[in-house]
Amino acid sequence: MHSANVGFAGLGAMGRGMARNLHRAGLLRAVWNRTRSGADALAEELGVAVATDPALASECEVIVLCVSADADVLAVVDALLPGLRPGALVIDCSTVSADTAREAARRVAAHGGEFLDAPVSGGVEGARDGTLAIMAGGSDAAFASAQHALQAMGRTITHFGPNGSGQAAKATNQIMCAGIIQAVAEAMAFAKAQGLPLPQLIETLGKGAGSSWYFVNRAPNIVRDSFPAGFRVRLHEKDLRICREMAGRFGVELPLVETTLAHYQQLIAQGHGDEDISVLFRLKDALFTPAAAGGAPRGSA
Amino acid sequence: MHSANVGFAGLGAMGRGMARNLHRAGLLRAVWNRTRSGADALAEELGVAVATDPALASECEVIVLCVSADADVLAVVDALLPGLRPGALVIDCSTVSADTAREAARRVAAHGGEFLDAPVSGGVEGARDGTLAIMAGGSDAAFASAQHALQAMGRTITHFGPNGSGQAAKATNQIMCAGIIQAVAEAMAFAKAQGLPLPQLIETLGKGAGSSWYFVNRAPNIVRDSFPAGFRVRLHEKDLRICREMAGRFGVELPLVETTLAHYQQLIAQGHGDEDISVLFRLKDALFTPAAAGGAPRGSA
């Protein structure tokens, strides 16, 4: 049994669920959030302390981060450093680039701590239910020390290698999602134009070799013409910009990444940024019915 | 119990499995194949008659076709017509365009018969095991008359609407496969360049929201660097040309279809036409390692 030695920084929609699961496991000692009010509400609910960030570091042996962007990870890490205990472990569950993970790891190591990049997938539901997939990068020792915290938050926990490799695995997943949502959206727009009964089509093709998690779980959004998040266009767009940057290090432009970024930027401009990525269907559908969709030129999506 | 009143035309790798399952169900009366030797061998194995095609039509109430191309379907249908019994049912399990299905249906109807387009998915294994997904288009009466034959060959049998809608459903599936193989190939090439351990990656991401049948079942080909068919590049290329034609009726070029056709034509030229479509990984991998792959220009795939 571990004592309550975990601090949590970043209480967004994901972070709140993860912090609650750390609390349920008897591990959570303190929370911190950029906007104080978010931290106060959760701290009151759970009966844990609200910390200023350096204090979080000095009170906890393990600090879990879950923030939005590369710059946020480095800013929070820098704020934690002055109070960091010797041998403390920083676990970053944000989705950022592998370079940012390696840079954060260097800064933490320079203060005598250890760093694990541990981005997650499974969405808000997975964070709430403690069923996240967690992709970890860091030393064997850091991965071992993180076990109690990771197991409180996730179900499939994999160690891929040194710092950065957790982020690389997550980026791989996000590239795959880009191709799959292209596949589902383009195929369903074609099917609709052919006059096929879409619910039966989803039922049948969902059992076949062309099936995917997204098709089975999100193609019904297309039938309902309603795309509640889900995986927001805005967040996948952010992740794909990370993938673009990581591929760019090899001088490579990845076609699915580039195409999907262009489509998402169009969708965000049209006000669909906070809908599920299955809303990409609208752009593909507009190829077949340009008038109904406000005159988008054929062949453009 | 139905009597042995089914004739089968087209004894390729798929057709042989399907004919054997019709025989097991006590339904197969006669077989025909373009090359006589193929028919002789199976007829001897099963103890059924080898027919010339008009004779096949006059002896059987139900005739199942499984051939390669649009022109083949129309040629076999034309050969069957003179001997067609009144009320006979022609079930075409080939993958061709919806237009070809509707034209074949018109010709059969003009001779007093009924036609069902009933393309299948599930591959050679599905044909052998009788577990195909069958996507049917035709009248309710034709679909009802076809039940005994369809149930002998497949497991998931769906009636999508009038003639052509079975082919439209199959085309939808093939478009989805194009996007998914693009997703798997591009993501795995990225992961390899990042130095990730691919077997663990497949294990982990295969359980997540980015997963698909193809990723779970065919990404291991990439680890083994061996791409046995499977779903041959050459056959998917043929199917995507049908999809291109069907979308072209709406004045639409579908991006995934066009991109994948270009990639497949490159793979066929390089001698990969009879490998599984997961061999698309090679083109994506060449983006990251152009020298090793014979200097393919970066950004081209």
Side-chain angles (χ1 to χ4, degrees), chain A residues 11 52 55 66 70 81 97 127 142 145 160 163 176 179 241 279 281 301:
Chain A
L11 300 168
T52 60
C66 191
D70 292 63
L81 291 178
S97 78
S145 314
F160 284 103
N163 281 129
M176 206 145 60
R241 279 189 278 117
V279 75
F281 170 78

Side-chain angles (χ1 to χ4, degrees), chain A residues 14-298:
Chain A
M14 295 293 290
R16 283 196 301 275
M18 296 158 77
R20 282 196 187 96
N21 282 315
L22 288 165
H23 178 70
R24 262 180 220 123
L27 298 172
L28 191 66
R29 185 184 183 101
V31 296
W32 173 84
N33 196 47
R34 187 157 49 182
T35 44
R36 176 72 190 243
S37 59
D40 283 344
L42 192 76
E44 188 176 349
E45 172 193 328
L46 304 181
V48 300
V50 177
T52 60
D53 32 6
L56 187 69
S58 63
E59 283 168 15
C60 302
E61 288 159 35
V62 174
I63 298 142
V64 182
L65 316 186
C66 191
V67 298
S68 289
D70 292 63
D72 298 334
V73 168
L74 294 177
V76 174
V77 163
D78 285 345
L80 293 170
L81 291 178
L84 206 68
R85 291 186 178 200
L89 173 64
V90 177
I91 304 174
D92 178 26
C93 295
S94 320
T95 293
V96 295
S97 78
D99 279 352
T100 295
R102 287 186 284 261
E103 176 58 27
R106 271 191 294 273
R107 296 185 190 181
V108 170
H111 280 72
E114 290 224 71
F115 181 89
L116 200 70
D117 47 303
V120 303
S121 88
V124 173
E125 298 94 327
R128 181 193 64 207
D129 300 339
T131 57
L132 294 167
I134 306 182
M135 293 152 268
S139 71
D140 288 343
F143 184 67
S145 314
Q147 281 307 307
H148 63 301
L150 298 180
Q151 284 174 10
M153 300 186 292
R155 183 174 288 165
T156 310
I157 299 160
T158 314
H159 185 206
F160 284 103
N163 281 129
S165 57
Q167 297 296 350
K170 176 76 192 277
T172 303
N173 189 64
Q174 304 313 74
I175 294 169
M176 206 145 60
C177 287
I180 284 171
I181 203 64
Q182 290 283 348
V184 170
E186 189 162 314
M188 289 294 278
F190 174 89
K192 184 185 158 201
Q194 297 290 330
L196 288 169
L198 301 185
Q200 282 161 265
L201 190 71
I202 295 167
E203 177 70 21
T204 301
L205 303 193
K207 291 177 188 147
S211 191
S212 59
W213 188 95
Y214 254 93
F215 181 66
V216 170
N217 290 282
R218 297 291 182 254
N221 287 348
I222 294 168
V223 175
R224 292 188 288 261
D225 193 29
S226 166
F227 305 89
F231 186 11
R232 288 168 202 268
V233 169
R234 199 182 297 290
L235 293 178
H236 198 199
E237 197 266 349
K238 174 194 84 94
D239 293 351
L240 291 178
R241 279 189 278 117
I242 293 168
C243 299
R244 169 193 274 170
E245 181 201 320
M246 289 174 70
R249 292 292 171 116
F250 294 84
V252 172
E253 278 195 2
L254 290 175
L256 285 175
V257 170
E258 296 302 320
T259 303
T260 308
L261 275 170
H263 287 166
Y264 283 174
Q265 283 150 14
Q266 227 177 310
L267 286 167
I268 290 167
Q270 293 172 5
H272 298 299
D274 287 310
E275 292 180 69
D276 183 74
I277 58 172
S278 47
V279 75
L280 178 62
F281 170 78
R282 289 194 193 279
L283 289 192
K284 302 278 185 175
D285 188 41
L287 294 173
F288 289 95
T289 55
R298 292 186 173 202

